[in-house]
Amino acid sequence: MRTLQKVLAIVALVVLVGQSVRHTYLRWLEPRTSVLDRYDRPLKSEVTGAKSLEELVARYEPLRRQGEEARKQRQAQKGAPGVVDESDLGALSPEFEVRLAIQEWEKRAKELNGVTYYCAVGLVLLAVGMATFRWGNIWLGLTLEISAFSEFIYWTSPTFFGGGGREFDRLLSYKLSFSVAALALLFLVVWSQRVFAKDDVLPPGEHAA
């Protein structure tokens, strides 16, 4: 039991510390500017500097109308009026760029909700697990604790596909906060259950054979 606890604690510690360091880098230290920015401004500044989804939508609406008019004109010139082909949306157009930013914002917002919910579930599992470990069955308690830290680690794992904007920064801040909180909870479990104590000292709830 003690050896298993030590191995699991070390693995969780390594992962959570690594994630926290990476979140810190992405949030505050990673360069986000490029020499090409001078050619993308001011639209790029408006997109990445948007404070809300509604602000992006308001920016997208006139671009959408302009794009529809341009596509209808091209269809008419081709002699094939009718349904507008969405594939005609240019990947380099302002409309496409703002549209992509809206989709990215919504994706990050959903991920943020998931991080909050599942970390709350993990906290409940950890509380029940610690209580069960101390006053009930130590194996059941350990199983619940493993489940709890699995939730913490998975949902605070790094976002490998980067991005920009306030919602992305907000997601990084949440993940960093929950990673640090999970580290604190890990130290609490290690201390309360004497995981790294001398082998002749049994953890609370465990009895000598």
Side-chain angles (χ1 to χ4, degrees), residues 110-126:
K110 290 178 182 179
E111 189 175 352
L112 195 152
N113 289 336
V115 170
T116 304
Y117 172 76
Y118 286 105
C119 284
V121 171
L123 184 60
V124 173
L125 289 174
L126 181 60

Side-chain angles (χ1 to χ4, degrees), residues 22 26 108 157-162 175:
R22 189 176 189 276
L26 288 178
R108 299 306 181 190
S157 60
T159 302
F160 289 101
F161 298 98
K175 285 194 171 188

Side-chain angles (χ1 to χ4, degrees), residues 20-31:
S20 300
V21 171
R22 189 176 189 276
H23 292 327
T24 301
Y25 174 77
L26 288 178
R27 179 64 180 86
W28 288 289
L29 301 177
E30 183 184 42

Side-chain angles (χ1 to χ4, degrees), residues 43-59:
L43 180 60
K44 186 173 182 179
S45 296
E46 295 177 4
V47 170
T48 57
K51 298 179 180 179
S52 66
L53 181 60
E54 290 73 20
E55 186 176 333
L56 283 175
V57 171
R59 184 70 180 88

Side-chain angles (χ1 to χ4, degrees):
M1 165 66 76
R2 181 63 58 76
T3 300
L4 176 62
Q5 284 182 293
K6 288 179 180 179
V7 172
L8 292 174
I10 291 172
V11 171
L13 179 63
V14 170
V15 173
L16 288 170
V17 169
Q19 302 187 160
S20 300
V21 171
R22 189 176 189 276
H23 292 327
T24 301
Y25 174 77
L26 288 178
R27 179 64 180 86
W28 288 289
L29 301 177
E30 183 184 42
R32 297 189 181 184
T33 58
S34 168
V35 294
L36 298 176
D37 287 348
R38 70 185 69 177
Y39 305 107
D40 297 331
R41 310 282 179 176
L43 180 60
K44 186 173 182 179
S45 296
E46 295 177 4
V47 170
T48 57
K51 298 179 180 179
S52 66
L53 181 60
E54 290 73 20
E55 186 176 333
L56 283 175
V57 171
R59 184 70 180 88
Y60 176 71
E61 287 178 350
L63 294 174
R64 172 70 174 178
R65 288 193 295 268
Q66 294 172 13
E68 286 180 347
E69 289 298 324
R71 286 190 290 273
K72 288 178 181 178
Q73 291 177 7
R74 286 195 293 272
Q75 291 290 340
Q77 292 172 358
K78 294 176 182 178
V83 179
V84 177
D85 186 2
E86 289 294 332
S87 65
D88 197 29
L89 184 64
L92 300 178
S93 68
E95 178 189 354
F96 180 83
E97 185 173 349
V98 179
R99 180 192 183 99
L100 193 62
I102 291 174
Q103 294 173 338
E104 187 71 15
W105 187 293
E106 292 176 334
K107 177 183 177 181
R108 299 306 181 190
K110 290 178 182 179
E111 189 175 352
L112 195 152
N113 289 336
V115 170
T116 304
Y117 172 76
Y118 286 105
C119 284
V121 171
L123 184 60
V124 173
L125 289 174
L126 181 60
V128 175
M130 292 181 69
T132 304
F133 188 95
R134 184 172 183 83
W135 294 295
N137 186 291
I138 59 174
W139 287 105
L140 177 58
L142 180 61
T143 301
L144 291 173
E145 290 172 358
I146 293 172
S147 299
F149 281 102
S150 296
E151 295 289 347
F152 293 144
I153 291 173
Y154 178 81
W155 287 99
T156 60
S157 60
T159 302
F160 289 101
F161 298 98
R166 293 177 182 268
E167 196 68 3
F168 179 71
D169 289 343
R170 187 170 171 231
L171 175 62
L172 284 177
S173 297
Y174 267 62
K175 285 194 171 188
L176 176 59
S177 299
F178 284 126
S179 292
V180 173
L183 273 172
L185 291 172
L186 178 62
F187 284 123
L188 175 63
V189 172
V190 168
W191 172 79
S192 64
Q193 296 178 4
R194 302 178 61 84
V195 174
F196 293 103
K198 293 181 179 180
D199 292 337
D200 58 346
V201 180
L202 295 175
E206 187 172 356
H207 304 286

